[in-house]
Amino acid sequence: MSTALLEVKQLTVGYGAAPVLHEVDLTIGEGQIVAVLGANGAGKTTLLRAISNMLPITAGTAKFDGIDLKPVKVERMVRHGIAHVPEGRGVVTELTVEENLRLGGLWRKGKPDLDEVYDLFPAIANRRNHLGHQLSGGERQMLAIGRALVAKPRLLLLDEPSLGLAPKITAQIMGLLRDLRDRTGLAVLLVEQNVRSALSVADEGVVLNLGRVVTRQKADTLADDADLRHAYLGF
Ligand code: ATP
């Protein structure tokens, strides 16, 4: 069992007075890929936002490598080793691929190494002078992940990478995540509606329902649990 890189304890958070997440516990170890699953509105995106400090935590804690994240400003998260790729990707469509990648290095000390990202994603290496809006959905997702990787995170928070992508491209991206983890020890907290593809890459899955953790299990076990799948994952 690996030691926890991220440790979320009894996290309660919401957008107003009413909490969306209730007393959520979650840990992720170095090099682990954990999928966060659940129906629409279960609180998956909210969980990533809370870890990144985009939302004020009402109660509970989130610690990274033993450090309390509460006082860490959103833009400083990357210096602490956490990169967040939001749903919808957040690529700046008026900038080129290369310019977008350089943005990823802004909060990181030293010169960003874009070649590593280009090696990982040859599809965007071939389009480095193209503007964001000229890219396909899959290329934009690769660019968004690539931009996060420029900051050399130890933990990647990845929200719905499969959204709007063809199954073949989704499979390619999931495969790359696993390769990356195997090569670099990157930990990934992966939010996905596409349960099958998330479980194909994750080591473990956490199921959220109405803002509470229902269960956490090995990915294979979850994929085989028909009752759980029917109750919370819709297949
Ligand atoms: P989806 O896959 O549909 O995005 P999710 O599991 O990621 O679902 P969240 O987006 O975290 O769910 O939403 C959880 C709850 O918080 C929902 O009831 C949603 O309506 C509410 N919510 C989300 N964003 C906001 C916001 N900006 N302001 C107020 N309520 C919000």
Side-chain angles (χ1 to χ4, degrees):
M1 173 97 187
S2 48
T3 46
L5 183 64
L6 176 76
E7 186 172 37
V8 170
K9 269 195 184 158
Q10 295 290 293
L11 189 78
T12 297
V13 62
Y15 296 89
V20 167
L21 295 179
H22 307 265
E23 297 161 3
V24 167
D25 287 335
L26 178 106
T27 56
I28 179 163
E30 199 98 46
Q32 225 184 1
I33 303 181
V34 175
V36 181
L37 309 169
N40 280 332
K44 305 179 297 296
T45 294
T46 303
L47 176 61
L48 296 194
R49 287 189 186 142
I51 294 167
S52 285
N53 252 342
M54 293 160 138
L55 289 173
I57 292 175
T58 312
T61 54
K63 287 186 179 173
F64 185 74
D65 219 7
I67 295 169
D68 185 5
L69 291 175
K70 197 165 183 171
V72 178
K73 292 204 172 90
V74 179
E75 63 274 18
R76 295 263 161 186
M77 282 288 168
V78 291
R79 283 218 174 161
H80 286 264
I82 301 177
H84 188 157
V85 181
E87 192 177 340
R89 291 148 202 167
V91 162
V92 184
T93 51
E94 299 78 12
L95 297 182
T96 64
V97 165
E98 183 115 353
E99 287 163 343
N100 267 284
L101 289 179
R102 288 196 186 287
L103 284 182
L106 276 186
W107 289 91
R108 179 88 204 172
K109 285 181 199 148
K111 200 168 176 284
D113 185 355
L114 304 191
D115 287 338
E116 273 184 40
V117 175
Y118 288 138
D119 286 347
L120 190 65
F121 299 117
I124 59 171
N126 295 331
R127 316 204 71 192
R128 62 185 79 192
N129 295 318
H130 286 67
L131 297 173
H133 70 76
Q134 295 174 310
L135 304 181
S136 68
E139 288 165 347
R140 273 195 216 186
Q141 184 61 70
M142 290 176 200
L143 177 55
I145 296 173
R147 189 176 60 183
L149 295 177
V150 170
K152 295 213 179 292
R154 293 168 70 199
L155 171 66
L156 188 64
L157 306 175
L158 193 50
D159 200 348
E160 299 274 9
S162 76
L163 201 72
L165 301 185
K168 198 173 139 199
I169 306 291
T170 299
Q172 193 188 347
I173 288 175
M174 295 297 168
L176 280 166
L177 284 181
R178 202 173 254 272
D179 287 352
L180 195 63
R181 181 280 295 278
D182 292 346
R183 279 200 287 120
T184 67
L186 179 74
V188 183
L189 193 56
L190 172 67
V191 160
E192 261 299 341
Q193 285 281 347
N194 187 337
V195 176
R196 283 182 202 281
S197 92
L199 292 178
S200 74
V201 67
D203 303 303
E204 295 187 17
V206 172
V207 179
L208 280 185
N209 185 48
L210 300 175
R212 294 182 194 274
V213 174
V214 178
T215 188
R216 172 177 179 144
Q217 293 182 32
K218 295 225 170 295
D220 297 350
T221 314
L222 261 184
D224 291 342
D225 188 334
D227 290 343
L228 195 83
R229 281 194 279 114
H230 292 154
Y232 300 110
L233 304 176
F235 72 103

